[in-house]
Every structure is written in C-alpha cells, then in structure tokens.
C-alpha cells in the first residue's frame, strides 16, 4: 500500500479559461438556477474521496484510504491524468454512474429489441454511450412466424433506436452517442452501407461494417464471399467482395460513414480476454473500445504533455514519472469499477467478472512538439511505440501487482491469462488495461491536444459571450496554441498579423519569416497525409489491448481511391478499424469525430 509520489508540497495545476468553463458547464454540481456550486478543486476532491472509499472494501485501513484519496486527488489536480468525464461528473453524487461506454446485445425478437431500447434509454440518461451489433436480426422481408408477416430488418429498427436517443438527449450534459454495427455477410449489408448517405437520418449514430477475415481474403483475391442467414447460419448468396468494398469506401468518401472494424482480428486479440463472454460483436460509439454484450468500460487518460523534462529544445521523455503515474492510474481505475453504480444488473455482472479498464493517453501531439519531433515522421512512430509499449508493460505490471493484493478478476481462470491461456498463468486484476480514447472533454480540461490526434490549428478565433442571456453581446478573440506562441516569441517571428493569418486558415508553409524546423514541428491535421495518420494509429494499436480512437483526415480534394488506399493500409498495418473524415464533406463541419458523438 505504499504510494509513491506523495511527498513534499503539492501545487494544483493552473486551469485554463476554457477548462474552467467546461468544468462549470458540464462537470460540476449545479443548483436549480444552473450555476455551478463546486469549484474545479472541489470536483477533484469529491471524485478522489469517493474512489478512495474502495480501499476499505478491499480490507484497507483508514490510513490506506486517506493515502489513496491524496494520490487520486493529486493525479487529477495536477492534470497529469483524468478519468473519463462520467466519473468526474457522477462520482460521489446520487447517480454514481462512472463508465463512458457500453455495448448491449440486440436479439432477434420484438421483446428483445425493445428491451435493448429501454436499457439504452437508461444508459443515455446517465451520460454513457452505447454500441450495438444488429447482425443477429433477420433481414428485411424474412418471415415472422407468429404473425405470418414479414420482418422490417436491422436498418428499420436502427431508426427506432435513433428516435429514442433523440428523445432523451441526456439532460444537457452529454448527447446520447451510438455505434451501429452490421456484419459484412448480413443479407441487408447494402441498405446498411447506404443508410447514412442522406445525412438527415440516424444523426445519433456512427456506423461501421464488421469486416471478416473471409471477406478480406476474397477482397484480396478478387473473388466472392458468402452472405449468411443470421437465423440458420447457412450461406444464402454470394457477393463480389470488391463491389461491396467499393460501396463502403465510396460512402465513407461522401460523408465519413460507414467506418470499418476488423471483427475477427478484434476477437483474436487481447480485446477478447475471456472468450466465453464473447465473441465481441461491437465497439463503443467512437470505436476505441470493443466490448462484450452487456460489457462496460471505464477509461482514463494520461496527459503526455506533462511528461517531458529538460531544457526547451533539448527535452526527453520523463519515463520515471510516467511509470509512477501509470501505476497510480491503474489503481484509480480499478477503484472506479468497485465504486461504479451500473445502470442495469447484467452490466454489473459482466463488469465485475472481468474488471475491464482502459488507460490511454492525450496530449501526444503536444509531447511531440515539446520534443521537436514532427508528427509525420519515422521518429514520431518510433517514439509512439516506445511510449505506448512502456505504458502497456507498466499497466500490466500494476494490474498484476493489484491482483496479488486484491485477487484476480473473477473470470481469470477462463481467460487468456489463466492456467490454460496463451498469456498465462499470469495474475491479473483487470482483463484489459489499455485503450486510447478521443478525450473530447478531458483534453479541454487538461488544456492539451486530444488523444493521439495532431494539433488541429495553431490559431483560431473564438467567440466570447459577455452576457449569458444575450448572444449578441460577444467579442471575438484570436486564441493561439500556447507552445507555438512561446516558440514564435523566442525565435523572434511573433506578430499579431501572423496569428490572425493562421486563425483565418492561412498555412505556416506560406510564411518566409518562419524557420523550417518550426514549420515541420508545428504541422497540423490537414497538412499530414492520411498515410501518416493511419501509421500513427497502427503504431499505438500495436501496444494497446483494446483499440485506438483516431480520425483519418482527408483534404476535400481527396478521391475515392485515396480513401480505399487508407482502408487497406489500416488492415495491413494491424489496426482494429478505421474512421475517416474528408474536410467539408458534412453539412455542419465538425472538428473531430469525438465532438460529433
Ligand atoms: N461518449 C458519449 N457521448 C459523448 C462523448 C463521449 O457517449 O458526448 C462516450 C463514447 O463511447 C466515447 C467515450 O465516451 O467513445 C469516450 O469519449 P471521450 O474520450 O471523448 O470522453 P471524455 O471523457 O473526454 O468526455
């Protein structure tokens, strides 16, 4: 129970203006007038105190509890690490629903479908996102025995899930986000692929096709693959793999959907640690978390921006501090599982049996900038592997150590870590340890770049509202990336005019006064080719148990072929899935996937 890093005086990190606004509006307790009644520091204290209570349930003393509380408080208040926002919002409050995401099974019966919709409503109300596979549903026009009528099929039922989500909208904090999956060998695959072509339907869903190994083989060979009746398991037709792939790629080019998940690869990986609970049929809404039916995941992210040391221009990664932080974060997330009030009993059962956690990173692009490494470089890929393999190894070791004190996760004997498993026997407290989340809210609070995404813009114009009841009273301010501003000043090329130029969409590459190394290091999302985006995702995936949230950005001028090449590269480089976005291809441009969902 010795917790390192707790000596000396502690200074909480200073919060940015945007961080304070986000905490006030989306995280803190509010009174009936809607005003925050907690300071950010009180939020971190509330969460730390609540999560530390788990120590007593594991036989710890009051001293252990107090030490854990202080450890957790410092992790968060330093902005070195944050648990997913439902934990920040709900820990120590009435709801106590701490997970970001869930997957619910959708059985092939009216009772089952509407039970899943009811469970979805309960989850959305509490701030969680949901993923579903619709692959078990019989296709449209199949027979319905009890009525002698015909079935409506997965696509039409998905619209009912969407309408239910629309009606709930989660009381203001988070919008209900859904992932809808269909297997590529389902008879209704064409309707599914096309279903978001009209951007007014299914606005509360991301959709992805679950692509099988058999399909990928057929695609490579240019042959057909079997379409399978979900009720009987029999092959009922053959389809040309390239034709179906072309349709997927063309629709993704048009407006981003569908994405793809490589379902057999997911099931053959560490994301499927207890095969008897599976197979995994779906991921959560942003794709980073494959889950069993009725599974949940508690995520948390380390802010890599804080893990460099040395003089500007000669910095290195602070692996020692990173190690301590990983250990403390795994401890905190294991406590989240214990303190969580799961929305339905089936989810509580699975979550306790496997104790799945997802520790990941944010601020990766900021770390690279600090180290003066361009995002689109071999050096960045090498460092990605070094940092993530380090985190994975330490998270495994931390979970193993917790298992020695608190016991293995209950399904351990049947898991890949058990006596007969390919990775066992190895003590393990948590069936998975690592996931890379989008960190949509967390990265604003920590004032860092999101997940492993590159910096989106070096400067932008933000409207500041001066009177919350009157939207016409506002000023527009140019906000500049903090690291860029510091370098611009140190290198002597800072000017108001340059910042405005960048905020209005100008590129650094067009400016002769800016040194070449600065142009290389401050590369932004749209200047990075899709190939580098995919290779970065693959580098992190190699050392992540679950999956990696990443949006592969394309310029508006990208062709359907460009998209096809990226989808195939994602497969070849070992990614578990891929989501793309072509600039300007949706009516309302979103900054990134996370903000859409
Ligand atoms: N999520 C959701 N609604 C939202 C944002 C996120 O349901 O508005 C879920 C979704 O499953 C996503 C996961 O939470 O994949 C993690 O998202 P993110 O890392 O952006 O969450 P944060 O903790 O930063 O709020």
């Amino acid at each position: 129970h010795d917790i390192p890093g707790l000596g000396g005086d502690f200074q909480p990190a200073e919060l940015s203006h945007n961080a304070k606004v986000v905490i006030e509006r989306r995280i803190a307790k509010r009174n009936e007038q809607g005003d925050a009644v907690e300071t950010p520091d009180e939020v971190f204290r509330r969460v730390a105190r609540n999560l530390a209570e788990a120590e007593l349930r594991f036989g710890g003393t009051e001293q252990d509890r107090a030490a854990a509380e202080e450890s957790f408080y410092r992790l968060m208040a330093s902005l070195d690490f944050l648990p997913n926002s439902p934990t920040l919002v709900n820990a120590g409050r009435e709801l106590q629903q701490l997970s970001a995401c869930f997957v619910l099974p959708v059985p092939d019966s009216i009772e089952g479908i509407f039970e899943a919709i009811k469970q979805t409503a309960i989850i959305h109300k509490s701030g969680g996102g949901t993923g579903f596979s619709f692959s078990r549903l019989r296709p449209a026009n199949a027979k319905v025995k009890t009525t002698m009528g015909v079935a409506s099929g997965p696509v039409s039922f998905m619209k009912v899930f969407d309408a239910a989500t629309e009606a709930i909208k989660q009381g203001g904090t988070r919008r209900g986000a859904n992932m809808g999956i269909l297997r590529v060998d389902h008879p209704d695959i064409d309707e599914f692929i096309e279903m978001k072509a009209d951007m007014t339907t299914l606005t509360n869903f991301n959709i992805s096709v679950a692509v099988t190994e058999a399909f990928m083989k057929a695609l490579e060979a240019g042959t057909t693959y079997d379409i399978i009746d979900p009720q009987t398991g029999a092959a009922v037709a053959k389809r040309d793999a390239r034709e179906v792939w072309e349709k997927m790629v063309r629709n993704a080019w048009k407006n981003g959907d569908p994405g793809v998940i490589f379902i057999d690869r997911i099931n053959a990986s560490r994301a499927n640690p207890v095969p008897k609970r599976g197979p995994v049929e779906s991921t959560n809404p942003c794709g980073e978390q494959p889950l069993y039916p009725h599974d949940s995941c508690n995520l948390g992210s380390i802010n890599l921006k804080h893990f460099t040391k040395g003089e500007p221009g000669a910095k290195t990664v602070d692996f020692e501090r990173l190690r301590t932080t990983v250990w403390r974060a795994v401890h905190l997330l294991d406590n989240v599982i214990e303190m969580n009030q799961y929305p339905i009993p089936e989810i509580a059962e699975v979550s306790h049996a496997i104790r799945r956690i997802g520790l990941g990173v944010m601020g990766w692009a900021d770390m690279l900038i600090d180290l003066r490494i361009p995002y689109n470089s071999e050096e960045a890929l090498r460092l990605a592997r070094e940092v993530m393999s380090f985190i994975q190894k330490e998270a495994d070791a931390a979970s193993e150590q917790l298992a020695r004190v608190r016991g293995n996760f209950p399904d351990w004997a049947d898991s890949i870590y058990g006596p007969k498993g390919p990775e066992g026997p190895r003590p393990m407290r948590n069936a998975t340890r690592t996931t890379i989340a989008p960190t949509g809210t967390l990265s604003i609070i920590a004032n860092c770049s999101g997940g492993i995404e590159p910096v989106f813009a070096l400067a932008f114009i933000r409207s500041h509202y001066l009177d919350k009841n009157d939207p016409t009273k506002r000023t527009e301010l140019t906000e500049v990336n903090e690291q860029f501003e510091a370098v611009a000043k140190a290198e002597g090329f800072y000017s108001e005019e340059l910042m405005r130029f960048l905020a209005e969409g100008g590129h650094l590459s067009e400016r002769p006064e800016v040194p070449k190394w600065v142009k290389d290091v401050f590369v932004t999302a749209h200047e990075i080719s899709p190939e580098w985006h995919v290779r970065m995702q693959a580098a992190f995936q190699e050392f992540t148990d679950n999956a990696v949230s990443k949006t592969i950005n394309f310029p508006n001028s990208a062709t359907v072929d460009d998209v096809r090449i990226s989808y195939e590269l994602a497969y070849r480089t070992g990614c578990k899935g891929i989501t793309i976005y072509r600039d300007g291809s949706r009516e309302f441009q979103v900054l990134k996937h996370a903000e859409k969902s």
Side-chain angles (χ1 to χ4, degrees):
H1 289 266
D2 188 26
I3 299 166
L6 290 187
D9 288 337
F10 173 77
Q11 271 302 333
E14 194 146 335
L15 291 174
S16 70
H17 170 76
N18 294 335
K20 287 181 195 152
V21 171
V22 162
I23 292 178
E24 211 171 281
R25 298 216 183 125
R26 300 196 215 157
I27 307 282
K29 265 187 221 170
R30 284 180 292 174
N31 63 17
E32 279 179 5
Q33 287 75 49
D35 299 319
V37 295
E38 279 179 315
T39 65
D41 203 64
E42 286 165 347
V43 169
F44 297 139
R45 194 44 86 179
R46 161 173 58 76
V47 176
R49 185 172 307 133
N50 179 257
L51 298 181
E53 258 179 52
E55 301 303 308
L56 304 175
R57 300 193 188 175
F58 297 129
T61 62
E62 166 53 28
Q63 211 178 357
D64 296 325
R65 193 210 59 76
E69 178 182 330
E70 194 54 24
S71 164
F72 299 162
Y73 166 75
R74 291 186 182 192
L75 267 179
M76 294 182 280
S78 61
L79 302 178
D80 283 351
F81 164 89
L82 292 170
N84 52 218
S85 53
T87 300
L88 293 175
V89 175
N90 295 329
R93 288 171 67 184
E94 200 178 333
L95 259 185
Q96 196 65 25
Q97 195 297 95
L98 310 182
S99 310
C101 42
F102 304 86
V103 162
L104 295 172
V106 184
D108 184 38
S109 72
I110 291 295
E111 290 78 2
I113 291 167
F114 282 85
E115 183 60 31
I117 291 172
K118 175 179 154 199
Q119 295 180 349
T120 303
I122 293 169
I123 289 172
H124 285 178
K125 218 172 74 173
S126 74
T130 38
F132 318 89
S133 166
F134 293 93
S135 305
R136 299 185 212 184
L137 301 192
R138 72 193 74 180
N141 301 319
K143 268 203 202 91
V144 178
K145 265 199 229 105
T146 44
T147 61
M148 297 314 280
V150 292
S152 332
V155 166
S156 94
F157 283 116
M158 284 176 76
K159 293 179 184 159
V160 185
F161 281 77
D162 191 58
T165 305
E166 189 66 33
I168 294 179
K169 291 284 187 189
Q170 290 180 207
T173 47
R174 272 176 155 214
R175 277 183 53 197
N178 298 302
M179 170 63 89
I181 301 270
L182 198 72
R183 284 175 66 91
V184 72
D185 51 20
H186 190 282
D188 288 358
I189 191 63
D190 291 280
E191 292 80 355
F192 179 81
I193 293 171
E194 301 274 0
M195 82 179 296
K196 287 200 68 178
D198 164 9
M199 285 188 294
T200 60
T201 48
L202 235 67
T203 50
N204 299 300
F205 266 88
N206 295 325
I207 63 169
S208 280
V209 177
V211 163
T212 60
E213 284 300 306
F215 176 88
M216 290 311 289
K217 284 216 180 73
L219 178 66
E220 221 167 325
T223 56
T224 60
Y225 71 103
D226 288 339
I227 296 292
I228 294 167
D229 178 346
Q231 285 182 287
T232 63
V236 288
K238 286 198 184 299
R239 288 295 305 274
D240 182 80
R242 289 192 180 162
E243 194 189 301
V244 174
W245 190 245
E246 179 67 22
K247 193 176 256 188
M248 283 156 55
V249 166
R250 192 167 283 281
N251 275 280
W253 173 85
K254 224 186 277 165
N255 58 23
D257 280 303
V260 165
I261 63 168
F262 300 115
I263 194 69
D264 294 335
R265 177 176 284 169
I266 287 172
N267 276 301
S269 77
R270 275 183 159 201
N272 178 16
V274 188
K276 72 164 189 192
R277 293 272 173 190
V280 170
E281 301 174 327
S282 178
T283 68
N284 71 341
C286 300
E288 74 277 12
Q289 189 61 61
L291 292 169
Y292 295 133
H294 285 127
D295 199 351
S296 74
C297 199
N298 303 303
L299 308 172
S301 300
I302 291 178
N303 175 9
L304 291 177
K305 189 182 185 179
H306 285 192
F307 291 86
T308 62
K309 59 177 181 187
E311 292 303 311
K315 292 199 174 177
T316 54
V317 177
D318 189 347
F319 282 106
E320 263 323 299
R321 230 169 56 72
L322 186 56
R323 182 199 317 275
T324 314
T325 304
V326 169
W327 280 67
R328 289 161 65 189
V330 167
H331 180 186
L332 180 148
L333 290 173
D334 191 60
N335 283 23
V336 171
I337 299 199
E338 208 57 28
M339 298 307 294
N340 208 337
Q341 203 73 56
Y342 298 94
I344 49 176
E346 292 93 326
I347 293 175
E349 199 270 321
V350 176
S351 304
H352 284 130
I354 70 174
R355 306 189 71 85
R356 193 192 281 274
I357 59 172
L359 175 64
V361 297
M362 56 186 166
W364 167 239
D366 290 334
M367 174 182 251
L368 288 175
I369 289 173
D370 217 16
L371 299 170
R372 307 284 189 256
I373 300 171
Y375 189 96
N376 47 354
S377 67
E378 293 295 338
E379 176 65 4
L381 296 180
R382 193 201 57 71
L383 189 70
R385 293 195 182 92
E386 190 182 349
V387 167
M388 201 57 212
S389 64
F390 181 85
I391 292 173
Q392 186 182 45
K393 188 172 73 81
E394 293 301 330
D396 287 1
S399 182
E400 184 171 340
Q401 177 58 28
L402 271 182
R404 293 182 203 285
V405 180
R406 298 181 170 181
N408 289 310
F409 61 92
D411 272 357
W412 177 83
D414 297 319
S415 81
I416 57 175
Y417 303 102
K420 294 192 218 87
E423 305 222 16
R426 178 175 189 184
M428 206 54 89
R429 178 66 175 162
N430 310 96
T432 70
R433 280 77 52 203
T434 44
T435 301
I436 297 183
T439 70
T441 305
L442 299 189
S443 61
I444 301 175
I445 297 174
N447 188 26
C448 66
S449 54
I452 61 159
E453 299 292 355
V455 172
F456 199 81
L458 296 176
F460 53 92
I461 295 166
R462 193 190 292 270
S463 301
H464 287 266
Y465 294 91
L466 304 170
D467 176 348
K468 75 176 176 190
N469 300 317
D470 183 358
T472 63
K473 291 197 183 132
R474 58 174 188 196
T475 54
E476 296 204 322
L477 294 177
T478 305
E479 275 187 36
V480 181
N481 174 293
E482 218 175 64
Q483 288 164 295
F484 181 68
E485 187 171 336
V487 166
K489 287 182 173 158
E491 296 283 321
F493 64 81
Y494 182 90
S495 71
E496 295 286 335
E497 186 271 320
L498 173 63
M499 303 306 142
R500 238 188 347 267
F501 168 82
L502 293 171
E504 283 161 5
H507 287 295
L508 211 52
S509 57
E510 298 162 40
R511 301 292 296 223
E513 77 271 34
V514 178
K516 177 167 184 315
W517 76 263
V518 176
K519 291 176 176 166
D520 291 345
V521 165
F522 285 95
V523 63
T524 55
H526 287 293
E527 300 163 316
I528 295 168
S529 73
E531 184 181 341
W532 282 111
H533 280 277
V534 174
R535 292 179 70 198
M536 187 60 78
Q537 180 183 333
F540 275 95
Q541 181 61 72
E542 209 177 321
F543 300 101
T544 302
D545 300 341
N546 295 301
V548 176
S549 165
K550 180 86 188 73
T551 300
I552 310 300
N553 285 106
F554 286 79
N556 187 265
S557 59
T559 64
V560 175
D561 257 348
D562 295 334
V563 175
R564 180 184 307 105
I565 289 166
S566 283
Y567 271 44
E568 290 170 11
L569 183 65
Y571 180 69
R572 277 206 314 282
T573 54
C575 295
K576 285 181 176 163
I578 178 167
T579 306
I580 68 127
Y581 181 68
R582 187 168 59 89
D583 195 28
S585 68
R586 287 196 190 124
E587 224 172 334
F588 301 104
Q589 167 125 19
V590 286
L591 264 188
K592 50 189 178 205
H593 209 61
E595 292 183 1
K596 182 191 66 168
S597 53

